[in-house]
Amino acid sequence: AQSVSQHNHHVILSEAASLELGCNYSYGGTVNLFWYVQYPGQHLQLLLKYFSGDPLVKGIKGFEAEFIKSKFSFNLRKPSVQWSDTAEYFCAVNARGNNRLAFGKGNQVVVIP
Amino acid sequence: GAGVSQSPSNKVTEKGKDVELRCDPISGHTALYWYRQSLGQGLEFLIYFQGNSAPDKSGLPSDRFSAERTGGSVSTLTIQRTQQEDSAVYLCASRPGGAVETQYFGPGTRLLVL
C-alpha cells in the first residue's frame, strides 16, 4: 500500500521568504502526485498535479513542485510567499490503477506579514 | 458549475446516537469518495463508489460505519452508536470516470461527539 510522509508539520515564515515543503512516498510503481491546499475556512482544493511528462510542475499562485523518481519525492516550492499563502498543504499520491488517494498528514504554514 | 456539496456543515451529537452525513457530488461524476480528517492527521480514506460497481469499503474503521450511494448520485455516510473518537471532519470528493483524474472535494461535515 502506498504511504505519504510530510515533515515539519508546522512552518512559520515571513512574507517574501521562500517555502519548500517535503513530500516522500513509498510505492515502487507508477504514481500520480498531487498537492492540495486548504485555506482557513475553505475546503480542499487542488494546487498542482503530476501525471507524466516534465517532472517540474507549475501550479496556481506561483507554486511549483518537482517529481524526483529516484528519491520518491514530490517537494512543493514557492520562491516568495505572501500572507495569503497561510494554509494547510497536503501531499497526495495515487498509484496507477488504484482508485485511492493516500494523503500525508499535512503542513500547517503560517506566513507572518 | 456547482461543486460538491455536503450537509450538514456541522453536527453535534451525543455519544451512542446515530448520525447521517450527506454528499451531493458534481453532476456527471461517476466516482465518489468519503474521507475522514481528524485533528493533526491527514485524510483517511473510508469508502469509494464507482458507478454500479461494488464499493471499496476497505477503509471503514469499524462496522458502525456504512455508506450507500443511491442512483449513482447522492451518497449518505452513516455512523451508528457514535463514539467520541468519531469526532472529525468528514469529507466527500467526486471525480469523473477514467483512471487519471483529479478529485474535487466538498466543504466537509464537522462532527463533534460529546
Side-chain angles (χ1 to χ4, degrees):
Chain A
Q2 64 251 35
S3 66
V4 182
S5 297
Q6 291 180 246
H7 309 291
N8 302 321
H9 183 66
H10 291 96
V11 177
I12 301 173
L13 60 168
S14 300
E15 277 191 316
S18 64
L19 173 69
E20 180 159 0
L21 302 177
C23 174
N24 290 90
Y25 64 93
S26 62
Y27 181 73
T30 304
V31 293
N32 301 316
L33 298 154
F34 305 81
W35 275 96
Y36 281 87
V37 60
Q38 188 168 25
Y39 297 103
Q42 298 187 25
H43 60 271
L44 270 170
Q45 56 187 283
L46 184 69
L47 197 55
L48 47 78
K49 62 187 177 185
Y50 172 81
F51 288 164
S52 63
D54 188 345
L56 184 61
V57 179
K58 305 282 187 184
I60 59 172
K61 303 187 180 185
F63 284 90
E64 65 179 30
E66 184 174 13
F67 171 49
I68 303 179
K69 187 175 181 180
S70 61
K71 295 185 177 180
F72 298 90
S73 70
F74 190 55
N75 293 353
L76 180 71
R77 297 192 292 256
K78 184 169 182 178
S80 177
V81 295
Q82 300 174 313
W83 174 77
S84 58
D85 294 323
T86 295
E88 191 154 17
Y89 295 81
F90 293 93
C91 182
V93 173
N94 162 241
R96 293 278 176 92
N98 183 320
N99 291 301
R100 296 187 184 190
L101 278 178
F103 283 85
K105 293 188 176 182
N107 296 105
Q108 183 67 56
V109 175
V110 175
V111 180
I112 300 170
Chain B
V4 178
S5 61
Q6 292 185 245
S7 60
S9 52
N10 292 281
K11 176 72 177 178
V12 181
T13 190
E14 292 178 348
K15 179 181 172 182
K17 301 281 190 184
D18 297 352
V19 294
E20 283 190 353
L21 312 180
R22 177 187 168 106
C23 172
D24 282 273
I26 293 172
S27 177
H29 281 194
T30 58
L32 186 147
Y33 298 77
W34 283 98
Y35 294 89
R36 178 169 68 176
Q37 184 179 16
S38 303
L39 190 64
Q41 302 295 317
L43 275 73
E44 174 190 10
F45 166 81
L46 297 178
I47 189 169
Y48 161 69
F49 295 90
Q50 171 64 61
N52 295 320
S53 303
D56 176 356
K57 303 180 182 180
S58 58
L60 295 178
S62 77
D63 58 8
R64 296 186 295 105
F65 288 73
S66 63
E68 61 178 24
R69 189 179 185 193
T70 53
S73 181
V74 171
S75 177
T76 302
L77 177 70
T78 301
I79 308 173
Q80 296 178 306
R81 306 181 302 282
T82 52
Q83 303 294 311
Q84 288 182 331
E85 60 262 29
D86 298 335
S87 297
V89 177
Y90 290 82
L91 292 168
C92 176
S94 71
R95 65 170 174 82
V100 283
E101 296 286 352
T102 302
Q103 295 182 24
Y104 297 84
F105 284 83
T109 293
R110 187 175 299 275
L111 174 67
L112 177 61
V113 182
L114 300 175

